[in-house]
Amino acid sequence: MARPGCAVVARQNTMTMATSFPPLGPALIGMAVALLAYAGLRDVATRRIPNWVSLLVALLGAALRIGDEQLVPSLAAASAVFGCMVLMWRRGWIGGGDVKLLAATSLLVPPTAVLNLLLAVSLAGGVLSAAYLLMTRLGLPAMRTASRVPLRRVLQAEAWRIRRRGPLPYACAISAGGLITLYGG
């Protein structure tokens, strides 16, 4: 049998945690933004997203959701996103790293903003697709003359992928959608 004073102490501890956590919010979001940018750049360079990046983004998102006491709804939303994305992965429509990164990114936003995140990722993916289609049609003149750029190998590899209509670096769209949702509402 619970003592009557325990509920009051538990509520005070929760309130103390919630009021002491927000100063960490911007720092956690800043780290998540850096990880999302890294994932996008890494996806462009290698078409691989390291698992540790998705794991850290998920942990940062979970810490944010603990801070605003929305962890359980956020985990439910992230699980739903993960389940839907796994189905897309099984059909070959999206890469496995993208599935994990999108599910992790859905923990960064409040559960009520997950649909906004998915819409922003879809729109960013459309822009990315249009840019790649345009580069395919134009013949990539800027990529061929990239010998003076330090990232020459990456640009040359990307030009090669575009000419062969290879997969898109969708982590760029996921990162852009995450940033739009985090900072744009």
Side-chain angles (χ1 to χ4, degrees), residues 47 123-141 143 158-159 162-163 166 168-169 172-173:
R47 290 301 190 274
L123 292 174
V127 170
L128 180 68
S129 298
Y132 269 65
L133 284 173
L134 183 64
M135 286 187 273
T136 301
R137 299 255 187 242
L138 294 178
L140 304 169
M143 296 278 189
E158 198 61 25
I162 290 169
R163 282 192 300 273
L168 294 175
C172 296

Side-chain angles (χ1 to χ4, degrees), residues 114-182:
V114 170
L115 290 178
N116 293 344
L117 170 69
L118 296 175
L119 178 63
V121 168
S122 298
L123 292 174
V127 170
L128 180 68
S129 298
Y132 269 65
L133 284 173
L134 183 64
M135 286 187 273
T136 301
R137 299 255 187 242
L138 294 178
L140 304 169
M143 296 278 189
R144 287 190 202 124
T145 62
S147 60
R148 295 179 299 271
V149 178
L151 300 174
R152 185 181 73 178
R153 274 185 77 184
V154 171
L155 294 175
Q156 287 175 341
E158 198 61 25
W160 181 84
R161 288 183 193 115
I162 290 169
R163 282 192 300 273
R164 283 156 186 76
R165 297 177 190 234
L168 294 175
Y170 211 72
C172 296
I174 295 169
S175 300
L179 294 175
I180 289 166
T181 307
L182 283 171

Side-chain angles (χ1 to χ4, degrees), residues 49-111:
I49 304 166
N51 288 334
W52 63 266
V53 172
S54 297
L55 177 65
L56 287 177
V57 170
L59 290 174
L60 291 170
L64 286 169
R65 297 310 101 196
I66 288 171
D68 62 9
E69 298 178 357
Q70 293 185 346
L71 181 61
V72 173
S74 288
L75 287 173
S79 297
V81 167
F82 183 76
C84 291
M85 293 298 111
V86 164
L87 294 175
M88 293 177 72
W89 169 75
R90 300 248 329 162
R91 296 187 59 80
W93 297 344
I94 194 165
D98 299 324
V99 170
K100 293 178 271 190
L101 185 63
L102 184 56
T105 304
S106 66
L107 282 172
L108 284 175
V109 300

